[in-house]
């Protein structure tokens, strides 16, 4: 007793303060860590999405347009019909849905392609499907990004204008193996020619 009052146990007080401080600091660190991790995840997600869709803000490796005397809806229907597109597109032999059965974001289809004695397959995931306006998809060979293809349709007097464009997404190390597998060493030049052919066939089909 000191001055009629019970003296506090220094060890108890110190221990209590230490425990409270430890809990408070631990909670603070946990909260700060959670906020930091959440910020990191958000930043990583933004970077991942930006990397995936940077082709939308960069120049395509090949592009061409054609004016067609047909409605936007009719042309969109042809572009998103896999058997029709397989018949119109150069190198394509056939296409079939693997996930889903119609053009909508997230749907997946497989492409079977040939170039003389070479043959290969690709897996395509639909990224945009706006009836009468846009159809676009990412292309992979196994798990390796290959390209992004996009068709934009806009109304014009007497019909519509279709722009087909592609972005080469192959990693540098994959270009030589891809050239060997497809028999095409100049993929950019080949795609430019193929787009011209595809659009002319699309025009003929839509106007027939």
């Amino acid at each position: 007793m000191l001055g009629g009052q019970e003296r506090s146990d220094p060890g108890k007080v110190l221990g209590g303060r230490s425990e409270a401080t430890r809990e408070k600091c631990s909670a603070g660190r946990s909260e700060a860590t959670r906020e930091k991790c959440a910020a990191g995840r958000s930043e990583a997600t933004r970077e991942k999405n930006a990397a995936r869709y940077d082709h939308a803000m960069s120049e395509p490796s090949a592009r061409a347009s054609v004016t067609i005397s047909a409605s936007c809806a009719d042309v969109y229907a042809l572009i998103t019909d896999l058997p029709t597109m397989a018949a119109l597109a150069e190198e394509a032999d056939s296409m079939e849905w693997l996930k889903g059965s119609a053009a909508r974001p997230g749907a997946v289809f497989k492409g079977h392609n040939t170039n003389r004695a070479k043959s290969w397959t690709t897996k395509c995931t639909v990224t945009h499907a706006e009836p009468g306006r846009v159809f676009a998809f990412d292309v992979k060979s196994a798990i390796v990004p290959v390209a992004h293809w996009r068709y934009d349709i806009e109304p014009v007097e007497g019909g519509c204008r279709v722009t087909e464009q592609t972005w080469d997404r192959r990693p540098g190390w994959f270009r030589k193996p891809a050239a060997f597998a497809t028999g095409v060493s100049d993929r950019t030049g080949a795609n430019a020619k193929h787009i011209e052919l595809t659009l002319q066939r699309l025009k003929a089909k839509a106007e027939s």
Side-chain angles (χ1 to χ4, degrees), residues 62-112:
R63 172 200 286 158
S65 300
V66 67
T67 300
I68 301 176
S69 298
S71 71
C72 294
D74 287 345
V75 171
Y76 180 86
L78 292 175
I79 290 173
T80 55
D81 180 66
L82 297 188
T84 298
M85 277 308 295
L88 300 179
E90 195 71 10
E91 293 185 328
D93 276 345
S94 64
M95 303 175 186
E96 75 265 2
W97 293 108
L98 297 179
K99 177 183 177 183
S101 58
R104 58 176 54 91
V108 179
F109 63 93
K110 185 175 185 178
H112 300 265

Side-chain angles (χ1 to χ4, degrees), residues 27-135:
R29 283 196 299 270
S30 299
E31 183 63 26
T33 300
R34 285 194 294 271
E35 291 177 355
K36 185 176 181 180
C37 290
R41 285 194 297 269
S42 297
E43 182 64 25
T45 300
R46 284 194 294 270
E47 292 177 353
K48 182 178 180 181
N49 289 339
R52 183 178 180 187
Y53 293 105
D54 60 355
H55 50 258
M57 296 178 286
S58 62
E59 284 298 310
S61 54
R63 172 200 286 158
S65 300
V66 67
T67 300
I68 301 176
S69 298
S71 71
C72 294
D74 287 345
V75 171
Y76 180 86
L78 292 175
I79 290 173
T80 55
D81 180 66
L82 297 188
T84 298
M85 277 308 295
L88 300 179
E90 195 71 10
E91 293 185 328
D93 276 345
S94 64
M95 303 175 186
E96 75 265 2
W97 293 108
L98 297 179
K99 177 183 177 183
S101 58
R104 58 176 54 91
V108 179
F109 63 93
K110 185 175 185 178
H112 300 265
N113 312 283
T114 60
N115 176 35
R116 296 188 292 274
K118 302 289 187 177
S119 63
W120 67 98
T121 61
T122 54
K123 186 168 72 172
C124 309
T125 302
V126 177
T127 59
H128 297 78
E130 300 177 38
R133 295 184 58 194
V134 182
F135 179 56

Side-chain angles (χ1 to χ4, degrees), residues 181-194:
T182 63
V184 178
S185 57
D186 179 10
R187 176 47 65 182
T188 297
N191 282 345
K193 293 177 182 177
H194 296 168

